[in-house]
Amino acid sequence: MAADESVFVENLGLWESIAAIKQKIDTNGPYDVLLGISVSSPVITAATAWYQHEYGSVPWRCNFLFSPFSLRDNAFLATYMKKKIDFPHLLILGTGDPYWDHVSRSLVEYEKPNVFLHSDGHRFPRDKDVRLQICKALLSFHKPVREQIQSRL
């Protein structure tokens, strides 16, 4: 999976962010879900790809990414994302997002993308019914997470 070859992109702070995620998990984990919103999503995608590459597995259960920007770091993509990520995830995209051209690129980062579309823009949806649908989608998406949440209700 290659980034735009005509432009070299480096995500400044990417490695520090991956290290911070690893340190947090090592110190306070385990965690079930990593949640990304907008520009934090590429870091979660990168951490997922890095863990799969370095360890062969990921120490959390799934990624939930809202209005996710795609990862564009050329060097990282060339080394760690030669193939799409095969990991449980849900991408929540707003069809009215002014950044649609960019956030929709995140669909190519994951094998068999799981997508929830809503009509709002680059934000968490305002409509209460849509928010409830997203919560239900999240709960139905991953059985261990659903069982753990339901056991606490």
Side-chain angles (χ1 to χ4, degrees):
M1 215 166 82
D4 181 354
E5 302 266 340
S6 67
V7 177
F8 181 82
V9 177
E10 179 182 7
N11 290 89
L12 298 177
L14 180 63
W15 287 109
E16 292 84 353
S17 298
I18 292 171
I21 289 172
K22 184 179 184 320
Q23 190 272 331
K24 189 74 165 170
I25 290 169
D26 291 347
T27 304
N28 301 318
Y31 293 97
D32 292 323
V33 175
L34 289 190
L35 176 93
I37 301 172
S38 189
V39 296
S40 65
S41 297
V43 174
I44 292 171
T45 297
T48 304
W50 179 79
Y51 267 102
Q52 286 183 329
H53 185 271
E54 295 297 314
Y55 297 102
S57 65
V58 178
W60 59 90
R61 293 184 176 168
C62 47
N63 296 336
F64 295 151
L65 306 177
F66 290 81
S67 300
F69 274 58
S70 61
L71 180 61
R72 296 193 58 216
D73 188 297
N74 298 70
F76 188 93
L77 293 170
T79 302
Y80 296 97
M81 293 185 65
K82 293 178 183 176
K83 61 181 186 172
K84 294 181 181 188
I85 297 173
D86 187 9
F87 184 73
H89 65 281
L90 184 61
L91 307 173
I92 299 101
L93 307 174
T95 57
D97 194 329
Y99 305 109
W100 178 259
D101 289 343
H102 191 71
V103 298
S104 63
R105 289 185 217 152
S106 64
L107 297 173
V108 302
E109 296 173 336
Y110 287 87
E111 187 71 35
K112 299 177 189 170
N114 294 299
V115 180
F116 182 93
L117 294 175
H118 61 86
S119 60
D120 268 331
H122 194 78
R123 63 177 325 278
F124 197 81
R126 290 185 180 108
D127 186 287
K128 193 175 189 177
D129 291 331
V130 172
R131 290 193 308 248
L132 182 60
Q133 289 174 21
I134 290 171
C135 290
K136 287 180 179 178
L138 295 175
L139 284 175
S140 68
F141 175 71
H142 200 269
K143 185 178 178 184
V145 173
R146 180 180 69 239
E147 289 171 351
Q148 188 173 28
I149 291 171
Q150 289 175 338
S151 71
R152 294 180 183 175
L153 296 178

